[in-house]
Amino acid sequence: MLEETAADTANSLIALQLNKPVNKIFAEREINGQRIAAGKKPLDFGKLPTLTDEEYETARVALGKQPLWVYDHFGSLECDKLMQKLEYMANGIHCDVIYLDHLSIVVSGMESNDERKDIDILMTKLETFTKRTSVRLEVVCHLTKPQGSKPFEEGGQISLRDLRGSGGLYQMSDSVLGYERNQQDLDENAANTMMVRSLKNRKFGNTGLVGALRFEHTTGRLVNVPWSRDKDGKINLATS
């Protein structure tokens, strides 16, 4: 995760163990602690679960015993340096799955002024790496700004051409998933739910909507949500 610190990544993983939004709980403590010290009224963060120091430390120690490696890096990263790190992860510490979040920040560290060419070069190297090592590489990619259609943050439908930068992103990928959510929806359930769309599946060929995931504020988790279409094609989401 090149846009967050290793500590933030660790807290996100600890949150999954505890089913509690750790980063949000810590933010509430810090902000309201400062407000109380300044004689101000605490802010309402909603009903958050309790988290003791002992509970957090136990989860942190347990996470440290997992077969998990986090690259301690923040900001842009040169392509060649990234490939060296990936090689070490695959062959030095024998990682089976690697998550790279996100591709655009890697390209920003390259010296060329041609983003499309840079992405094509990087994707070729990544594809060669995965085929040679059999590592499963999950890459996060940003989207372009839609031209004359509904914005993606308002539920616009994603297609392969919306991947930012180059056709090499989807041409060299085995599968591509798009996540759509109308964060401005007046219905809270819909605003917190994103639809998962299969844009490419090289092995099986399945495309289209494949699921729905709702963010639970009290746990910090994404949970699977049953969904259906009515006769007019409108998507209906389960509320619980």
Side-chain angles (χ1 to χ4, degrees):
M1 283 61 170
L2 301 178
E3 285 191 324
E4 66 182 33
T5 65
D8 284 339
T9 301
N11 281 339
S12 295
L13 295 172
I14 290 172
L16 294 179
Q17 292 186 63
L18 298 176
N19 263 342
K20 297 181 179 182
V22 171
N23 283 321
K24 192 172 183 179
I25 293 172
F26 283 172
E28 179 190 38
R29 289 180 184 177
E30 178 68 21
I31 293 172
N32 282 338
Q34 293 181 10
R35 291 182 65 85
I36 292 172
K40 298 181 179 180
K41 183 180 178 180
L43 298 177
D44 183 9
F45 278 71
K47 189 176 181 180
L48 294 179
T50 59
L51 175 63
T52 65
D53 293 341
E54 181 181 4
E55 185 180 16
Y56 174 81
E57 183 61 20
T58 299
R60 188 189 67 80
V61 171
L63 178 65
K65 295 179 180 179
Q66 299 299 316
L68 168 74
W69 299 82
V70 178
Y71 181 31
D72 191 1
H73 179 86
F74 185 87
S76 62
L77 179 66
E78 294 179 358
C79 177
D80 290 342
K81 188 174 182 180
L82 169 66
M83 297 310 303
Q84 291 172 7
K85 293 296 180 181
L86 294 179
E87 290 287 349
Y88 173 71
M89 291 175 183
N91 300 307
I93 53 180
H94 308 294
C95 292
D96 298 311
V97 183
I98 298 175
Y99 296 90
L100 173 60
D101 181 7
H102 55 89
L103 192 77
S104 299
I105 203 167
V106 178
V107 175
S108 70
M110 302 172 73
E111 296 181 356
S112 169
N113 292 321
D114 190 337
E115 183 181 49
R116 289 180 179 274
K117 182 178 179 181
D118 289 342
I119 290 176
D120 286 341
I121 293 173
L122 177 57
M123 288 299 296
T124 299
K125 290 183 177 181
L126 293 177
E127 183 184 34
T128 301
F129 164 78
T130 57
K131 294 297 187 291
R132 176 168 46 80
T133 63
S134 296
V135 166
R136 192 177 90 220
L137 182 61
E138 304 280 354
V139 179
V140 176
C141 172
H142 283 178
L143 301 173
T144 60
K145 293 183 179 180
Q147 300 296 322
S149 58
K150 184 186 295 185
F152 298 126
E153 62 271 19
E154 295 180 12
Q157 181 175 320
I158 300 171
S159 67
L160 287 174
R161 65 178 180 274
D162 295 317
L163 304 187
R164 175 181 166 183
S166 165
L169 287 167
Y170 58 83
Q171 291 166 359
M172 298 181 191
S173 298
D174 288 333
S175 63
V176 180
L177 293 174
Y179 299 89
E180 304 164 357
R181 176 171 74 99
N182 182 3
Q183 64 183 30
Q184 304 300 323
D185 200 300
L186 296 178
D187 182 284
E188 185 177 357
N189 181 49
N192 287 308
T193 302
M194 61 184 182
M195 302 303 299
V196 184
R197 185 179 298 277
S198 173
L199 301 173
K200 178 181 180 181
N201 187 314
R202 178 172 288 164
K203 188 171 184 178
F204 299 108
N206 303 75
T207 57
L209 291 177
V210 294
L213 298 172
R214 182 173 58 222
F215 180 73
E216 299 285 358
H217 289 275
T218 55
T219 64
R221 278 184 174 273
L222 289 170
V223 297
N224 185 57
V225 178
W227 64 282
S228 62
R229 289 183 189 271
D230 60 23
K231 61 181 182 180
D232 298 320
K234 181 181 178 181
I235 295 174
N236 299 307
L237 299 171
T239 57
S240 62

